[in-house]
Amino acid sequence: METSSSMKIPWSLLILLFLGVFASRIEVSYGQADGGDDGGDGDKPAPPPEQDDCDGIFLTYTFISREKEYPHKKNVSAQAWAFKSEASILNAGSSELKAWKMYIGFQHREILVSADGAVMVDGGDFPASVGKNGTYFQGNPQTNLKNSIDTAGDVNQIQARIKLKGTQFGLPAKAIPMPKTIRLVNDGYKCPAPRIRGKSSMFVCCQPDPKFKLKDEKGTKFLPKQNGDLSFIYDVMDSYSNNYLAQVTIDNLHPLGRLDHWNLTWEWQKNEFIQTMRGAYTHKRDPSECLYGQAGKIYKDMDFSKVMNCEKKPTITDLPPTMKDDEKVGKLPKCCRNGTILPTIMNETQSQAMFQLQVFKLPPDDNRTSLTPPQKWSIYGPVNPNYVCGPPIRIEPTQFPDPSGLQSTTSAIASWQVVCNITKPKVPRCCVSFSAYFSESVVPCNTCACGCQESKLPHCDVKAKAMPLPGEALLVPFANRTEKAKAWAKIKHMDIPKKLPCGDNCGVSLNWHIDSDYQSGWTARLTLFNWGNEPFQDWFTAVEMNKAFEDYENVYSFNGTKMDKVKNTILFQGLKGLNYLIEMKNATNNNDPRVPGKQQSVISFKKTHFHDINIKGGQGFPSKVLFNGEECSLPREFPKSGAEHQARSNILLILFVVIASFVFMTDRFH
């Protein structure tokens, strides 16, 4: 028998093998296509069996995968991992769920990079750090979830999915980063603690709360207006195939909320651009983004040099009063106040603002009914409250009185509301110092009270305690206080650190000084300092006096009002003609430090309700101070009474007298 080193395979056998493999691939492909109703989305997790038993809102969170990111670290807590997960919310009940909100309690220092199918309620941009307090999501574009009965079980209308991507830290390679909890935030539902299946899936069924009384919405299609500290209404007044006219109304709803020189930003969702505006303007007017972008291809004959703004994220500002009656950009109620929105307690007519804009759209949204409001709203002022804004919620169209005066109303084509709430700022923009008649030293503003960049301040200590000061040091800028602080420390025999503490870096500071304390009452003196280059018109400050509030008597150079809607708070504002806190200016002598703008008044309190109020113990100092609505940084201690220092001095004096007498008698004896 002949042998060969290589076996020859017949061509017919090769063809049969090829056809067999090809057929198996076709079978696998068709098997995958028939294996689910998810449109070929292999990442979609299977629903838990408990979903079928839920008569409410069913929420899930499923971890999908993660992989190590650069740079690779040996320290487990410092290693970054890219993760993918998916959350879902299903309306398994019999009522429509409007404006759904879902909370995910992230806990592994997560940084979200994207969230398809939802937006964060605080309107923040990605990447967003959510690993400390978790975050809230709201549907976008699917804000409402209909019920199965009204949709014949159409999953696309009763369920929303959020595909999440991000980075997390601090877990070993085989660990699975799951959140602490998930829950529905909408009113009227109760959510038990979520359950975990396996190690990578979490779910909970939130049931309607039988004790919750639903407000009568009169069968309306949309939600009623929501409550908040600041409200925007985005009304579409006229709509055409490729553009629409929108009107934005801003309402200040907080008794101490305020905005000065406000700047409003948002983000267009479908390549819209602003053609014209009335009552406001945008900071940037550059047609290049339209001309060389998608808009330039669609609107080939448009003169983009006359377009107001082409940015995806424009910055909008109020017009000055001088343009109020301008035929092209003015002639609009509640506009043109230089960006000032006051609390209703100060001026109800100036608690609103309004502007209009002509918005152009691009295909495929070039029809009258395709209307998409901008997302990620944010508004801020130079020294004002920190507002966090949610996403737009569709509400009932706004009704407007007929302009002709007839007893009829006209309706907006569509309306959305954006609600913003005041949050404590991470870095304040104002600070407070404390002083008293019984203490020689001032307790200054905290070190870095309004923030410090350590890399830019190598010559001072950002963590050191602020040094006590003499009273006159408050009248000069921080840069000129160093020598005064060191000299005062030497006089008072206090330690002087080698690396001095950094300044407070605040544009506005306030000093609360205890002037007197007597049997039937006491007085304080409040001084405001403006260290900036811009004046504050119609300024106000509010102080929370926990124990002394009821005994507030009078203020002599300001207007003072006890507030009903804010606990234990007194509002102070300038008298007529004295309502300007001027900017810092140069001194008369060029060699002297610059001079801050100042306002000051004495405030008197009785001791009717609290005879035993401990002024020296700190009960005469405010527990919270706000300037123009923004909460200011407070010192961490109160001025110390000079009694202890005086007692020590008296002891030393007695010792000196005793020793001197002893020496004198000894000399006489000898």
Side-chain angles (χ1 to χ4, degrees):
M1 179 182 292
E2 291 185 4
T3 60
S4 174
S5 60
S6 61
M7 183 178 293
K8 293 184 178 180
I9 300 175
W11 282 103
S12 58
L13 182 59
L14 287 172
I15 292 171
L16 287 173
L17 287 170
F18 173 78
L19 290 174
V21 171
F22 181 75
S24 66
R25 286 183 176 272
I26 293 175
E27 183 179 356
V28 170
S29 176
Y30 275 100
Q32 288 176 343
D34 295 338
D37 191 26
D38 59 0
D41 188 356
D43 289 337
K44 180 180 286 189
E50 288 81 0
Q51 178 176 300
D52 294 335
D53 299 325
C54 180
D55 183 10
I57 308 300
F58 195 77
L59 282 69
T60 68
Y61 179 93
T62 305
F63 170 78
I64 297 173
S65 65
R66 69 173 186 156
E67 59 183 34
K68 189 177 287 188
E69 293 179 352
Y70 291 108
H72 291 176
K73 301 278 188 178
K74 292 183 180 180
N75 184 354
V76 173
S77 64
Q79 180 59 54
W81 296 80
F83 75 92
K84 292 181 182 179
S85 62
E86 181 175 296
S88 70
I89 176 168
L90 172 76
N91 185 359
S94 56
S95 301
E96 182 179 5
L97 179 63
K98 296 180 180 179
W100 64 264
K101 294 179 185 178
M102 179 181 182
Y103 172 76
I104 301 179
F106 293 108
Q107 59 176 335
H108 299 293
R109 293 155 58 197
E110 287 90 347
I111 299 173
L112 281 185
V113 175
S114 66
D116 295 337
V119 293
M120 291 187 295
V121 171
D122 65 2
D125 286 328
F126 296 113
S129 179
V130 298
K132 185 177 181 181
N133 300 314
T135 192
Y136 296 85
F137 292 99
Q138 193 158 347
N140 181 41
Q142 191 175 2
T143 57
N144 301 335
L145 296 177
K146 296 183 178 180
N147 62 67
S148 183
I149 299 169
D150 294 338
T151 61
D154 185 353
V155 176
N156 294 324
Q157 296 187 63
I158 66 174
Q159 185 180 49
R161 293 181 179 273
I162 314 171
K163 293 185 177 181
L164 301 165
K165 291 182 181 179
T167 296
Q168 61 85 210
F169 296 85
L171 288 178
K174 294 183 179 180
I176 296 176
M178 294 293 288
K180 286 182 182 179
T181 186
I182 56 174
R183 66 174 183 268
L184 184 70
V185 187
N186 295 63
D187 294 334
Y189 288 88
K190 297 178 69 175
C191 299
R195 296 169 59 187
I196 295 179
R197 181 175 298 281
K199 293 183 178 180
S200 60
S201 181
M202 178 183 287
F203 61 88
V204 64
C205 176
C206 299
Q207 301 279 357
D209 183 357
K211 296 181 180 179
F212 180 78
K213 293 182 179 180
L214 187 66
K215 292 181 180 180
D216 184 16
E217 298 180 12
K218 300 179 181 179
T220 57
K221 186 178 179 182
F222 305 107
L223 284 173
K225 288 183 180 180
Q226 306 295 302
N227 295 322
D229 296 329
L230 191 76
S231 171
F232 295 93
I233 303 296
Y234 189 86
D235 291 310
V236 176
M237 311 296 286
D238 295 311
S239 182
Y240 308 94
S241 60
N242 65 348
N243 71 92
Y244 65 86
L245 175 67
Q247 179 172 284
V248 178
T249 305
I250 310 173
D251 282 286
N252 183 8
L253 305 176
H254 192 279
L256 290 175
R258 179 193 176 122
L259 284 162
D260 295 279
H261 309 291
W262 55 260
N263 291 291
L264 169 66
T265 64
W266 62 47
E267 189 173 292
W268 294 114
Q269 299 297 291
K270 298 189 175 182
N271 298 309
E272 297 94 336
F273 62 91
I274 303 172
Q275 169 75 356
T276 58
M277 293 188 76
R278 184 182 290 272
Y281 69 100
T282 58
H283 282 204
K284 189 175 181 181
R285 192 165 185 167
D286 183 2
S288 60
E289 292 187 41
C290 285
L291 193 61
Y292 299 108
Q294 194 66 26
K297 298 176 182 178
I298 303 300
Y299 298 103
K300 297 180 180 179
D301 298 326
M302 181 176 287
D303 182 4
F304 287 105
S305 65
K306 297 180 180 179
V307 168
M308 172 63 76
N309 187 274
C310 295
E311 294 176 290
K312 183 177 182 179
K313 196 168 184 177
T315 300
I316 300 167
T317 300
D318 192 16
L319 288 171
T322 53
M323 305 188 77
K324 181 180 179 181
D325 296 320
D326 188 278
E327 293 292 339
K328 291 184 178 180
V329 298
K331 297 286 187 181
L332 193 67
K334 306 167 188 174
C335 88
C336 315
R337 293 170 179 163
N338 216 21
T340 297
I341 301 177
L342 299 176
T344 53
I345 193 172
M346 289 184 68
N347 191 326
E348 191 167 353
T349 61
Q350 291 196 34
S351 63
Q352 287 185 317
M354 181 186 291
F355 63 89
Q356 294 179 345
L357 61 160
Q358 197 76 33
V359 181
F360 270 71
K361 305 178 293 180
L362 302 183
D365 298 294
D366 49 349
N367 63 73
R368 290 172 180 264
T369 57
S370 182
L371 302 167
T372 304
Q375 297 282 340
K376 298 182 180 179
W377 292 56
S378 176
I379 191 165
Y380 56 92
V383 183
N384 291 128
N386 184 57
Y387 289 98
V388 175
C389 302
I393 300 298
R394 188 79 180 265
I395 60 174
E396 282 294 305
T398 304
Q399 303 293 315
F400 298 96
D402 193 288
S404 66
L406 296 175
Q407 296 298 312
S408 63
T409 58
T410 57
S411 174
I413 294 170
S415 299
W416 287 266
Q417 183 190 28
V418 174
V419 174
C420 308
N421 288 302
I422 296 173
T423 61
K424 192 170 183 177
K426 293 180 180 179
V427 180
R429 285 172 287 189
C430 55
C431 66
V432 180
S433 61
F434 288 158
S435 57
Y437 72 90
F438 52 78
S439 178
E440 294 177 326
S441 297
V442 173
V443 179
C445 289
N446 296 325
T447 301
C448 300
C450 297
C452 282
Q453 293 185 10
E454 194 166 357
S455 59
K456 294 184 178 180
L457 297 167
H459 304 299
C460 64
D461 191 342
V462 299
K463 297 180 180 179
K465 180 182 175 182
M467 295 178 65
L469 298 172
E472 67 270 15
L474 295 178
L475 302 173
V476 297
F478 182 83
N480 302 97
R481 292 182 191 173
T482 303
E483 295 305 319
K484 289 181 179 291
K486 290 166 71 175
W488 187 250
K490 288 180 181 179
I491 293 171
K492 298 300 175 184
H493 307 291
M494 294 182 285
D495 294 333
I496 302 175
K498 292 181 180 179
K499 197 174 184 180
L500 295 176
C502 299
D504 54 67
N505 297 319
C506 296
V508 173
S509 65
L510 301 89
N511 173 253
W512 184 273
H513 177 81
I514 303 295
D515 253 346
S516 65
D517 183 15
Y518 46 94
Q519 186 175 0
S520 60
W522 58 281
T523 60
R525 187 173 68 245
L526 177 62
T527 309
L528 288 72
F529 299 95
N530 181 4
W531 304 101
N533 296 318
E534 295 292 334
F536 291 97
Q537 183 181 2
D538 296 321
W539 60 268
F540 76 82
T541 184
V543 296
E544 183 183 84
M545 304 295 296
N546 286 334
K547 199 164 186 179
F549 173 76
E550 292 294 337
D551 284 327
Y552 165 71
E553 182 182 23
N554 201 1
V555 61
Y556 299 95
S557 299
F558 300 156
N559 278 323
T561 306
K562 277 186 174 181
M563 301 197 69
D564 297 327
K565 297 181 180 180
V566 185
K567 185 180 178 181
N568 296 339
T569 299
I570 309 166
L571 178 74
F572 299 116
Q573 50 188 314
L575 297 170
K576 189 174 182 180
L578 298 172
N579 56 340
Y580 265 86
L581 181 59
I582 64 171
E583 68 275 18
M584 187 162 63
K585 295 186 176 182
N586 293 326
T588 307
N589 187 340
N590 292 332
N591 295 324
D592 291 339
R594 299 189 73 195
V595 180
K598 297 184 293 292
Q599 290 270 9
Q600 185 183 91
S601 181
V602 172
I603 307 162
S604 61
F605 296 84
K606 294 181 179 180
K607 290 185 179 179
T608 305
H609 295 83
F610 295 100
H611 301 282
D612 59 345
I613 186 169
N614 187 356
I615 300 298
K616 292 183 179 180
Q619 292 180 347
F621 293 93
S623 54
K624 183 187 289 186
V625 175
L626 294 91
F627 178 78
N628 279 2
E630 168 141 11
E631 186 172 344
C632 304
S633 168
L634 291 180
R636 298 183 180 91
E637 62 182 46
F638 301 114
K640 295 178 181 178
S641 172
E644 294 179 6
H645 173 75
Q646 188 63 43
R648 288 195 298 269
S649 300
N650 291 341
I651 291 170
L652 289 172
L653 179 60
I654 292 169
L655 287 172
F656 174 79
V657 171
V658 171
I659 292 170
S661 300
F662 177 79
V663 171
F664 176 75
M665 293 299 292
T666 304
D667 288 341
R668 286 194 63 183
F669 180 79
H670 288 292

